[in-house]
Amino acid sequence: MLIVKPRTDALSDLEPIEEPLPSIDAEEIEPRFRAVVGRGGERRGIRLERIYWDGLGRMSTSGKMSTADLVHYTASQMPESGNLASLLRVLSLKWALRRLDTVEDISSMANTNAIIQASPSPTILLTHDKKVQLFNDPFLSMLRQRLPMTDTAQLTKGLRFSIDTHIEEAIATLERNKGKTLNTGFTITVGTQTMKGQINLALAPTHEKSMLIGYISRY
């Protein structure tokens, strides 16, 4: 059973998630030697840990250039007393952090709220701990239409929202099937009044917690 305390000002209501630090394998800290040959035939021998080679590979793909070109670009910025391997490590991490900042901006709760508010159909955001975090005006209009009460505060107070699928199971299913949606039934109860319908669930594009956006398709 999902206890609904719908609020449109709930953007800062989520508690931060404490993520465990990743473990490090011995092979991951062992530097790997590669000979990189530039366009002019200049050969450079570089030793970097695997994670930095992976980072340089992603940078190269994103920039539509070869790793050799990326190394040449980095070497051209290196001061006389600089160390190319160190500079490549810094460049790789700086690029990764900038990409992370971009992704976190896009997947912020503010943007998720904008997606929900832009939906023309009744839409809610369900958290992993079984709470309705956000909702839009069409959702509130649906409640007023199907569960008529004179007082909006009375309508939302004690309102209960349940789905026919366990929310943990729904999240796991959608995480296994990226880009898919899951249709299931829902029930809303306020006092002695009840309404049922169908809801389409999708993984919310957020990084704070695993959450679901629910688009009510029939009621």
Side-chain angles (χ1 to χ4, degrees), residues 142-143 146-147 186-189 193-197 219:
M142 177 194 71
L143 294 181
R146 297 298 301 273
L147 304 172
F186 74 87
T187 302
I188 297 177
T189 304
Q193 300 183 85
T194 299
M195 65 172 290
K196 295 179 178 290
Y219 60 91

Side-chain angles (χ1 to χ4, degrees), residues 87-99:
L87 197 60
L88 287 169
R89 289 186 182 94
V90 171
L91 182 67
S92 178
L93 180 57
K94 187 174 182 178
W95 181 85
L97 291 176
R98 186 171 63 184
R99 177 65 64 91

Side-chain angles (χ1 to χ4, degrees), residues 73-89:
Y73 162 79
T74 306
S76 68
Q77 300 188 72
M78 185 174 61
E80 248 182 75
S81 58
N83 181 285
L84 181 56
S86 295
L87 197 60
L88 287 169
R89 289 186 182 94

Side-chain angles (χ1 to χ4, degrees), residues 49-155:
E49 291 77 12
R50 186 178 68 184
I51 193 169
Y52 291 111
W53 284 119
D54 291 344
L56 293 176
R58 291 194 179 196
M59 290 177 64
S60 300
T61 301
S62 178
K64 298 182 180 179
M65 64 175 69
S66 67
T67 301
D69 288 340
L70 181 58
V71 170
H72 177 75
Y73 162 79
T74 306
S76 68
Q77 300 188 72
M78 185 174 61
E80 248 182 75
S81 58
N83 181 285
L84 181 56
S86 295
L87 197 60
L88 287 169
R89 289 186 182 94
V90 171
L91 182 67
S92 178
L93 180 57
K94 187 174 182 178
W95 181 85
L97 291 176
R98 186 171 63 184
R99 177 65 64 91
L100 178 62
D101 286 341
T102 300
V103 171
E104 288 190 345
D105 284 343
I106 293 172
S107 62
S108 67
M109 282 294 292
N111 276 341
T112 301
N113 182 53
I115 292 172
I116 290 172
Q117 300 308 321
S119 172
S121 64
T123 306
I124 59 176
L125 180 68
L126 300 176
T127 66
H128 192 279
D129 50 354
K130 302 178 181 181
K131 292 180 181 177
V132 173
Q133 187 71 26
L134 298 169
F135 65 91
N136 62 1
D137 287 340
F139 178 79
L140 188 57
S141 297
M142 177 194 71
L143 294 181
R144 288 170 176 160
Q145 175 188 350
R146 297 298 301 273
L147 304 172
M149 288 189 178
T150 56
D151 186 2
T152 300
Q154 183 184 6
L155 177 64

